[in-house]
Every structure is written in C-alpha cells, then in structure tokens.
Amino acid sequence: MMKGLKKWRLFSLLAVLTVFLAGCGQQELSTLLPAGQVGKDQFKLLMLSSGIMLFVILVVVVIYVVALIRFRRSKLGEDFVPEQVEGSHKLELVWTIIPIILIIILAVPTVYYTYKLGDVKAMEEVDDEGNAKHLVVDVTAKLYWWEFEYPDLGIVTAQELVVPTKEKVFFNLKAADVKHSFWIPAIGGKLDTNVENLNKFFLTFDQESKGLKDGVFYGKCAELCGPSHSLMDFKVKTLPRDEFNAWAKNMKATADETPVANAAGEEVFKQSCITCHATSGAGSSGAPGPNLAAFGDRNRVAGFLDHDEEHLKEWIKNPQKVKPGNKMPSFENQLSDQELDDLAEYLLGLSVEQ
C-alpha cells in the first residue's frame, strides 16, 4: 500500500513540475515563442511532427491497453488461444499504408520549407542604381565572440547585431578558427559557421526588441567549440527601418575624431588596447578583437557579465578567469587602479545611440 502511495506522490510531483516548467519560456530566448517568420515556419513543422508522433503513441497505447484488458488471463482462462492473424492481408495493408500516409504528411511540408528557407537568390538583387535591395550581414564567429559586418553600409560591429524589422535580412556565415553555430532561438533555426566554406541563409525579425527584457533577443553558439562555449553569446537589437538607418549613420560618424569625456581613459586605450580593438564602426572586419564603437550601448560585458564598471574592470584584469580560452591578454599587472578606472569610464562612454 505504501509503495503505491509513493508512486502516486512521484507522479503528482512530476505533473506539478511539468506545469511549472511550461511557464519558463522567455520571449527573447524561446524557440516556442517565435518572433520571426522563419521561426514561425519552423515552429509549424515542430508542431506537425510532434502531433504525428503523439498520434502514433496514442494509437499504440490504446491497442496495448485494449489487448491487456480484453485478453487477460483471469478473464479468459489459462488455455485460451486468441485468433491467429499471421498473414492477414488486411492487417498488413493497414500497418503499411498508414505509416506511408503519415510520412507523406510530414515529408511534403518539410521539403517545401527546406527549399523555401534555403532560397537566398534575393541576396544578390540590386535596384536600378546598383544598390542592394536587401540587407546583408557578414557574420564571423571567433573564440569566443561574434563580429558583424555590413558590407553594403561600410560598417562593422561586434557582440551586438542590429537589424531592421519587417524585412528579410541575409547572412553570410563563416568561422575564423574552429566550427561554431549561429543561432537566435526566438527568430529561427541554427546554421553552422565553418572555416572552410561559407554558409548563407536569411531571417526575418517581426518584433521590435525594445519591449523585451534587456531590450534584446539572445543569440547563441550552438556548436561545442571550447571551454567557454556556453559563454559565447551575442545580442540582437531589432529596430524599425528609420531607426536602423539612423543607427547606421551614427556608426559611420564614429570614423570622425570627436572629443571624449575622459581623455585620460582614451590615452590608456591607445597605449594598451588599440592594437586589437577599434573604436570606429566605419570600416571592414578582420580586427583581432571586437569592435568597441558602440560598447557603451551594450547590455553585457564579454557577452554575459553585467554591463557596469565593476564587471568591466574584472574582465580587463583577468579575461581568462572570466572566460577561459579567449585570446585577450591579462592587464592585471599592467594597469594601475586609476588607469583601470579611466579606461572603464572611457569604454562605457562609447555610444552611438541618441
């Protein structure tokens, strides 16, 4: 009796846990709350395949339960032998035709969406003046950060992808070191970034990110790439087209030298950081370290730490402790406390947002 009660307690606990976990989806991160047409199409396939699998499971369970109850030994006796149906053409047709129908139901939309979502011919389209009709972003995955170049706009940024809403955005994906995988869970499925070849696909961003927690969608590396794979995040800001155009204009304007609030911090940067990092968003990709033109507008340091002076100084002093395996050197013994304060204040002041 007690053993039976324990089983029911376990079942009740699992049921409550299932209900609790069902509410854990975060809109900025969940594949079950798609915020783009690509994600919505993939979600339809997910629901279709899940429905077919659930149907098969239910049919098998029903047959099993019926057989268990109808042909139990206590009801029919020890010597009962059920009707033998071996070689029944009717049954063989049923369990052959039904799976074929289910496979066709699943295969047709899968093939359709595979070709639809893999069609990137529009990436090459230009208008009468020779300008690209669609936004193209070159994504380069590195240990352990992301670089985003907008070749048609002449700007480059890192760790934070900024895109317009309500239109297709095309991506060229590559890796600079080892295989990674580009994934924005709430927007669409992942695609590998390889060293030896270029992968292409597109996504659409139907929802503005400013209403979300932290004002961004979350992006991830979905391919195990080293000790800090789980910390290889990036953020996505989605803006209306006019606001995106303003952002791109401000990024280009960072090429011009302008006075900064903390000149001492700028001097420290030029002496210690400028070899690897740029503070101008105008240009092309290829720098050893992330572009810092809009560092003050980000919401994370190193992709996952709180965006404040304390965590920024922690990162500068000992990057390997924070994110093992990254290529940034330690400055713990190279900069004084005052220099760290000035540098942190300077970096947090780099902003292109109005």
Side-chain angles (χ1 to χ4, degrees), residues 15 53 175-176 190 204 208 248 270 284 306 347-348:
M53 288 186 286
K190 63 180 182 178
T204 59
E208 292 182 39
K270 289 180 178 179
S284 57
D306 288 343
L347 292 174
L348 291 171

Side-chain angles (χ1 to χ4, degrees), residues 191-353:
L191 191 63
D192 283 351
T193 64
N194 302 316
V195 178
E196 66 277 2
N197 67 284
L198 192 70
N199 282 334
K200 303 180 180 183
F201 81 142
F202 70 87
L203 295 171
T204 59
F205 302 80
D206 297 341
Q207 179 181 335
E208 292 182 39
S209 61
K210 63 183 179 182
L212 303 174
K213 178 186 177 182
D214 296 327
V216 294
F217 290 101
Y218 282 75
K220 298 281 185 179
C221 175
E223 185 78 28
L224 182 60
C225 55
S228 290
H229 158 70
S230 63
L231 305 178
M232 191 172 168
D233 290 9
F234 64 94
K235 310 300 181 291
V236 185
K237 283 186 179 177
T238 59
L239 306 171
R241 173 46 90 162
D242 57 341
E243 293 183 23
F244 173 80
N245 291 339
W247 172 84
K249 182 180 179 181
N250 292 339
M251 285 290 286
K252 289 182 182 179
T254 58
D256 301 326
E257 290 288 340
T258 56
V260 297
N262 192 314
E266 183 180 30
E267 188 60 32
V268 175
F269 180 86
K270 289 180 178 179
Q271 292 177 2
S272 305
C273 313
I274 203 167
T275 303
C276 296
H277 300 279
T279 56
S280 169
S284 57
S285 63
N291 187 290
L292 303 177
F295 183 83
D297 300 325
R298 299 179 190 169
N299 60 23
R300 290 290 186 272
V301 173
F304 70 100
L305 296 174
D306 288 343
H307 194 256
D308 54 38
E309 187 173 327
E310 179 184 352
H311 287 93
L312 176 56
K313 289 191 290 186
E314 178 187 352
W315 164 251
I316 295 172
K317 285 193 293 185
N318 195 343
Q320 292 304 318
K321 179 181 178 182
V322 175
K323 187 183 279 191
N326 80 91
K327 297 182 179 181
M328 182 171 168
S330 171
F331 288 89
E332 187 169 16
N333 299 319
Q334 298 182 35
L335 300 176
S336 67
D337 290 343
Q338 184 59 53
E339 287 174 325
L340 272 173
D341 290 341
D342 291 337
L343 179 58
E345 183 180 342
Y346 167 71
L347 292 174
L348 291 171
L350 296 175
S351 174
V352 299
E353 294 184 358

Side-chain angles (χ1 to χ4, degrees), residues 69-121:
I69 295 174
R70 184 176 176 185
F71 298 104
R72 64 188 187 276
R73 183 176 298 174
S74 61
K75 177 181 178 181
L76 300 176
E78 296 285 345
D79 300 326
F80 176 76
V81 177
E83 180 185 354
Q84 301 302 295
V85 294
E86 181 181 357
S88 170
H89 295 302
K90 183 183 296 185
L91 286 177
E92 289 180 355
L93 284 173
V94 168
W95 62 54
T96 301
I97 293 175
I98 291 179
I100 291 175
I101 293 174
L102 293 178
I103 290 173
I104 292 174
I105 292 173
L106 183 59
V108 171
T110 299
V111 172
Y112 169 76
Y113 282 118
T114 297
Y115 281 93
K116 175 186 175 183
L117 301 181
D119 184 4
V120 294
K121 295 191 294 292

